[in-house]
Amino acid sequence: MTCIDRRDLGLLLLRLSTGGVLTAHGAQKLFGWFGGGGIEGTGQAMEAMGYAPGKASATAAGLAEAGGGVLLALGLATPAAGAAAAGAMAGAAAVHLPNGFFVQSGGYEYAASLGLSAAGLAVTGPGRLSLDHLMGHAVNRGWMVPIALGTTAAVTAVVVGVRNNRVRQAREGKQEALFEE
């Protein structure tokens, strides 16, 4: 009989909490659950934030969050799941970056926390209380971690870079008032 240690229990709790929150956020985008906008409403919001096309962006973000969240909670394909969720949260953090760090002022604190937790799980692995462990780590190999995180980082950098350029171009030609009325 295998003894479950504190590390395994801690990883389970971290996976369930991070994965659960990410799953709920993804379900808001994909299905409109929990007060979300669904693909249509989220797509319009994504367009307004500079992510275009909106529906495709909403679908990609929703799948990364919900899919990555479910897989993290289950402890299955942990490198890919954590990387996908971290990439989605990096995209969210980019939107909130101009507002500073703290969430009270619309900052990136929350997105960064979720993204770093997901990335941390991708690196550390799910622990023994997981489907990865039960399946002999068939989809959780050490070599998968740098590939999953590296690929996600590259794709995220391109997507966020295109979004930032789009936002910058939209602001060009629009002069802000020098004085408040």
Side-chain angles (χ1 to χ4, degrees):
M1 179 170 173
T2 303
C3 180
I4 302 303
D5 63 16
R6 289 175 27 197
R7 179 182 179 275
D8 293 319
L9 185 57
L11 286 170
L12 174 65
L13 293 172
L14 184 59
R15 285 192 354 257
L16 290 174
S17 62
T18 303
V21 170
L22 287 163
T23 300
H25 278 280
Q28 287 180 310
K29 290 173 180 64
L30 294 173
F31 311 117
W33 296 351
F34 313 116
I39 294 293
E40 195 67 39
T42 304
Q44 291 171 3
M46 295 291 256
E47 286 274 350
M49 290 182 257
Y51 288 109
K55 283 185 181 180
S57 297
T59 301
L63 289 173
E65 291 173 8
V70 167
L71 291 173
L72 280 175
L74 295 172
L76 180 62
T78 305
M89 291 298 99
V95 171
H96 296 283
L97 189 63
N99 301 324
F101 179 71
F102 292 104
V103 74
Q104 292 92 331
S105 59
Y108 63 92
E109 168 188 18
Y110 188 61
S113 180
L114 284 173
L116 289 169
S117 294
L121 286 166
V123 171
T124 61
R128 290 184 284 180
L129 298 173
S130 66
L131 290 180
D132 275 338
H133 180 75
L134 188 66
M135 295 172 48
H137 297 280
V139 288
N140 178 38
R141 304 279 186 209
W143 60 266
M144 294 174 180
V145 174
I147 291 173
L149 290 173
T151 301
T152 299
V155 170
T156 301
V158 169
V159 170
V160 170
V162 168
R163 178 254 174 204
N164 289 346
N165 285 338
R166 189 175 288 118
V167 169
R168 197 173 305 114
Q169 288 173 356
R171 289 184 182 151
E172 284 180 5
K174 294 182 181 179
Q175 185 172 344
E176 294 183 25
L178 296 175
F179 303 100
E180 291 186 32
E181 294 182 32

